[in-house]
Structure formats: C-alpha cells, structure tokens
C-alpha cells in the first residue's frame, strides 16, 4: 500500500471508519511507532477540527465537525475495506489500450462514508434513496456489509420500512444522516447473509469445446465447479459469472457460457431474482 502523503491515510480512516490509531498506520506502512505518532500530530496541526484523542479506546476519532480533507477514490477505498488490499500506485507500462473506458461509479464520498462509518460503529442511518421501482424514498437502514457485483457497489442493510434485509446500491444514495438513537440491527440477524449455500456450475452444453471454459475457471480434469457463498450473494455471483440459470438452459451460450446445475436447490433464495434467466420461464 503506497501513500505519498501519510496524512491522506489518516484522513481515509477517519472519513470511512470514523477512527484511527497508530497501529492502523504501522500495519499499512513500514514505519515505527514514533513516526506514526508524529503523523497524527502533523495531521492535527493541519486539520485541528477533524480529530480528537479518545484516551479510553486509545485511538483518534473524527469530531462532530469533521470534514474530509481529501477526495478519496471511493472504489479503491471500498476494495480496501472489503478485501484488505489496495490498488498499488504505479507507472503504467503501457500494455493496455490507450483508449480504455472506465464507467463512472456515481458514488458520493459523503454518503458512502456515512454508510461505512455506520458499519464500523454499529449505527443506523436515515437515507434518501432513489430506487428503480419506487423512485425517491426516505428510510432508516442498518448497514452491516459492503459488496460488489464487479460493476456496482452495494451495502447490505436492514430496512426498517420493509422489515427485512435488502441490498442498496451506493450510487443511489441521495442523502444520509446518522440515526444515533436507534438500536442497531446487525449482521447476526441477517440469516441470508450468514447462511451458506453451494452453487454448482459447468460450461454451457451448447459449446463445442467446453475445455476452454473449464480453463477459464482453472479446472483441469473436472467437469464442474462447486462454489460456496452466502444466500444473499448468490444472485450477484451468478450474474457476475454470466451463468444461465434458466430451467431450460436455452439462453445464448455465447453471452452466458456457464449453466447452473443445482437450480432446484436455490429456488427459494431471494437473491436469485437477479440471476440470469431465473425469472424468465
């Protein structure tokens, strides 16, 4: 993980978690305890209204007046928070297309960081959310996780209005406000998140050379692959892998190179509604 300005790393932790300590810096950068302490003092000197020391918890915390000092790359931060990896800054050697297109992510740092801070501190959030079906609505949610389907980022949260756990696309947040007085409903109550299922997929039978697609999955001498995932992520995974989930397996095999073999075991999983072909019979 590479930061030319270590104050940016401190600011990232305060923005997206609401707290940071010396060990956070030491674990990410090859520095000593004394250097980490100086970094906090340097940050505090530059942005005195952004942090305070919590002696009981032995960490610095964002103040109520906190304002992010940096504009952080949101997808990179979310990748770090969900996978503990960080895209390394480097000079591009020029192997790619000179005219690559990157789809704008549409996420707002203030709204996304409100969600990640809520997860880190076990809090609910009042949000304005633009749904494709319902338009703009106001609701109180209890986020407990962040996930991606490879294109969009989502938070998994309990929706007080619907009285169930749902997935909310982070780019559709229009406003956020901490709900400090609300008892938190967390991950342990989300059965679909903690319950694991097995997905069995294989190359589409309409392909003439299935060996090529087995190679895509790193399979040698195996006709299929079993993947363990949570119920809540099942539809996302099948969608990102472009798996034909129809009962007839008649979808275009060029667009959907794999088929779902144990569809009958997954029919009662709510996230399957977004699996390719599952609803079109």
């Amino acid at each position: 993980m590479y930061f030319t300005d270590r104050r940016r790393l401190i600011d990232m932790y305060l923005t997206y978690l609401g707290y940071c300590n010396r060990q956070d810096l030491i674990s990410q950068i090859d520095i000593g305890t004394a250097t980490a302490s100086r970094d906090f003092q340097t940050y505090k000197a530059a942005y005195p209204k952004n942090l305070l020391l919590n002696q009981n918890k032995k960490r610095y915390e964002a103040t109520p007046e906190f304002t992010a000092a940096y504009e952080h790359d949101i997808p990179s931060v979310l990748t770090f928070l969900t996978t503990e990896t960080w895209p390394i800054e480097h000079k591009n050697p020029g192997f790619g297309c000179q005219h690559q297109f990157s789809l704008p992510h549409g996420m707002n740092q203030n709204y996304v960081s409100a969600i990640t801070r809520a997860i880190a501190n076990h809090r609910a959030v009042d949000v304005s959310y633009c749904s494709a079906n319902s338009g703009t609505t106001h609701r109180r949610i209890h986020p407990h996780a962040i996930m991606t389907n490879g294109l969009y980022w989502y938070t998994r949260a309990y929706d007080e209005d619907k009285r169930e756990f749902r997935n909310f696309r982070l780019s559709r947040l229009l406003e956020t406000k901490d709900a400090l007085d609300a008892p938190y409903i967390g991950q342990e109550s989300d059965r679909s998140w903690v319950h694991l299922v097995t997905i069995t997929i294989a190359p589409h039978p309409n392909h003439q050379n299935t060996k090529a697609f087995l190679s895509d999955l790193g399979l040698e001498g195996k006709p299929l692959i079993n993947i363990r995932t949570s119920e809540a992520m099942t539809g996302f995974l099948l969608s990102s892998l472009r798996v034909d989930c129809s009962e007839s397996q008649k979808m275009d095999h060029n667009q959907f190179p794999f088929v779902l073999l144990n569809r009958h075991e997954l029919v009662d999983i709510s996230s399957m509604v977004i699996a390719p072909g599952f609803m079109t019979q």
Side-chain angles (χ1 to χ4, degrees):
M1 185 173 181
Y2 176 71
F3 279 89
T4 55
D5 183 353
R6 292 197 293 270
R7 292 179 302 181
R8 178 184 289 272
L9 178 58
I10 294 173
D11 191 76
M12 185 272 288
Y13 272 103
L14 293 174
T15 301
Y16 287 89
L17 296 184
Y19 54 81
C20 185
N21 59 33
R22 292 181 300 184
Q23 190 56 43
D24 291 325
L25 270 62
I26 294 169
S27 64
Q28 301 302 330
I29 311 173
D30 188 17
I31 59 175
T33 302
T35 301
S37 297
R38 287 195 297 269
D39 287 337
F40 278 106
Q41 295 308 313
T42 301
Y43 182 91
K44 185 173 180 61
Y47 312 104
K49 295 182 179 181
N50 269 7
L51 80 169
L52 52 82
L53 179 61
N54 186 325
Q55 294 282 7
N56 292 331
K57 295 185 177 181
K58 297 181 180 180
R59 68 186 188 185
Y60 287 92
E61 297 179 351
T63 65
E65 299 81 23
F66 174 84
T67 302
Y70 297 83
E71 188 68 30
H72 302 280
D73 182 67
I74 301 174
S76 294
V77 173
L78 295 179
T79 298
F80 169 68
L81 294 177
T82 54
T83 66
E84 296 185 352
T85 60
W86 188 274
I88 300 173
E89 298 178 17
H90 64 283
K91 183 178 180 181
N92 192 314
F95 289 0
C97 175
Q98 294 181 358
H99 306 287
Q100 293 187 65
F101 174 75
S102 178
L103 188 69
H105 57 71
M107 293 182 286
N108 179 288
Q109 175 165 282
N110 292 332
Y111 305 153
V112 174
S113 61
I115 296 297
T116 56
R117 287 195 306 272
I119 295 172
N121 296 281
H122 301 96
R123 293 200 300 252
V125 186
D126 291 324
V127 302
S128 291
Y129 184 77
C130 185
S131 167
N133 296 323
S134 307
T136 301
T137 58
H138 303 279
R139 56 186 87 190
R140 176 167 290 179
I141 64 174
H142 302 245
H144 70 70
I146 299 291
M147 57 199 183
T148 181
N149 63 356
L151 182 59
Y152 300 109
W153 285 91
Y154 298 79
T155 184
R156 179 76 174 172
Y158 181 78
D159 183 342
E160 286 195 8
D161 183 48
K162 300 294 183 180
R163 296 184 179 180
E164 64 181 10
F165 285 92
R166 312 187 83 184
N167 305 320
F168 297 89
R169 194 177 294 185
L170 294 178
S171 57
R172 294 180 176 176
L173 294 169
L174 304 178
E175 187 178 354
T176 58
K177 183 180 179 181
D178 291 341
L180 301 177
D181 59 329
Y184 181 67
I185 301 174
Q187 185 178 117
E188 65 280 358
S189 300
D190 188 353
R191 180 192 175 280
S192 292
W193 184 263
V194 299
H195 184 252
L196 298 180
V197 296
T198 298
I199 300 172
T200 304
I201 65 174
H204 203 291
N206 290 342
H207 285 300
Q208 293 183 349
N209 188 357
T210 59
K211 184 177 180 181
F213 297 93
L214 291 172
S215 296
D216 290 340
L217 297 179
L219 299 176
E220 294 184 6
K222 298 179 181 179
L224 53 82
I225 183 172
N226 291 313
I227 303 172
R228 292 283 284 173
T229 187
S230 74
E231 284 190 8
M233 290 295 294
T234 302
F236 284 89
L237 181 58
L238 292 167
S239 179
S240 64
L241 292 175
R242 295 184 296 130
V243 178
D244 179 352
C245 300
S246 64
E247 193 169 10
S248 60
Q249 297 182 352
K250 297 295 185 182
M251 298 180 71
D252 186 349
H253 60 280
N254 293 309
Q255 296 187 48
F256 302 93
F258 301 101
V259 293
L260 178 64
L261 298 182
N262 63 331
R263 184 182 185 279
H264 62 286
E265 297 177 355
L266 309 174
V267 292
D268 294 327
I269 295 177
S270 60
S271 69
M272 286 294 293
V273 296
I274 64 172
F278 181 78
M279 299 295 291
T280 55
Q281 299 302 321

